[in-house]
Amino acid sequence: ELFEDFRDIPRKVKGIKDVEHKADDVTHAAFELLYTQFITPFDRAVIHRLLSAIDDVLDLTDAATERIGLYDIRTVMPEARELATVLLAQTRKMQEAVHGLRNIKDSKKILDACLEINSLENQADSLLRRALADLFRSGADPLTIIKWKEILDLIETATDRAEDVANVIENVVLENI
């Protein structure tokens, strides 16, 4: 079966929306602090790029989950679940890398996290291609195909933005070691 049962969608969609709103508040506060503080550990433009890239990951994740709710999705493709798992792994590595910036001297740990984020993005590319092929071969009705293609594309684009986060962090580390 192409699809798996997926329960309690409204609660899960709301949970992600709540996280995204909190993250927006943190991002806005960080931008405000960024331009009102006299001393920053890194160039303000770099910090701005990093915050923006992290915000993009959250916005795309929210957009994908919101579509699941809006489109009244009742079952989830296994490949969508796999893509979401890859994105989750990337966000954990993003968190590790961002926290690592507090002690940039431990550059290997930060750079390893960035490398893993990039590797996971390559995995997401393959998963997306496989998911779309399976979806198009499934014989599902055209509306289901359109809905899932959009959702899958949003999740995979979030993995691309996670790679952008890794690239910004990697540049910061390489410029400061």
Side-chain angles (χ1 to χ4, degrees):
E1 177 77 21
L2 180 64
F3 299 103
E4 293 180 18
D5 188 25
F6 193 62
R7 302 183 197 287
D8 205 8
I9 292 170
R11 183 183 61 79
K12 292 175 182 176
V13 169
K14 183 185 179 322
I16 295 223
K17 177 64 78 181
D18 291 346
V19 169
E20 194 275 332
H21 284 309
K22 288 177 189 172
D24 278 345
D25 292 343
V26 169
T27 300
H28 292 299
F31 281 141
E32 188 174 312
L33 284 172
L34 180 62
Y35 293 104
T36 59
Q37 300 295 314
F38 293 109
I39 300 171
T40 61
F42 309 111
D43 181 75
R44 282 183 170 87
V46 171
I47 296 170
H48 190 280
R49 276 197 311 275
L50 180 58
L51 290 170
S52 294
I54 292 169
D55 186 56
D56 289 346
V57 173
L58 290 161
D59 288 344
L60 288 159
T61 302
D62 177 52
T65 56
E66 186 174 38
R67 299 297 192 294
I68 290 170
L70 291 172
Y71 295 166
D72 200 29
I73 301 290
R74 297 283 181 213
T75 55
V76 174
M77 294 178 62
E79 294 90 346
R81 190 177 306 272
E82 288 180 64
L83 267 175
T85 300
V86 168
L87 180 59
L88 178 60
Q90 282 184 306
T91 60
R92 288 182 174 143
K93 287 296 177 179
M94 283 171 34
Q95 183 180 23
E96 184 180 312
V98 168
H99 283 277
L101 291 174
R102 293 178 181 174
N103 181 16
I104 202 158
K105 300 294 183 217
D106 191 6
S107 60
K108 181 176 179 359
K109 183 177 178 182
I110 301 167
L111 293 174
D112 285 349
C114 291
L115 185 63
E116 181 65 18
I117 292 167
N118 291 334
S119 175
L120 287 162
E121 195 283 324
N122 292 335
Q123 185 180 343
D125 288 342
S126 295
L127 280 170
L128 176 66
R129 288 188 291 271
R130 190 181 86 220
L132 292 177
D134 289 350
L135 183 62
F136 293 145
R137 282 193 303 262
S138 72
D141 69 278
L143 284 177
T144 298
I145 291 171
I146 290 168
K147 291 174 187 179
W148 274 110
K149 182 180 181 325
E150 183 178 353
I151 292 165
L152 292 166
D153 283 339
L154 284 166
I155 298 169
E156 196 283 325
T157 302
T159 69
D160 292 340
R161 296 299 77 79
E163 184 177 36
D164 293 345
V165 169
N167 292 339
V168 171
I169 293 170
E170 187 175 53
N171 287 338
V172 166
V173 170
L174 294 175
E175 289 176 2
N176 288 281
I177 56 172

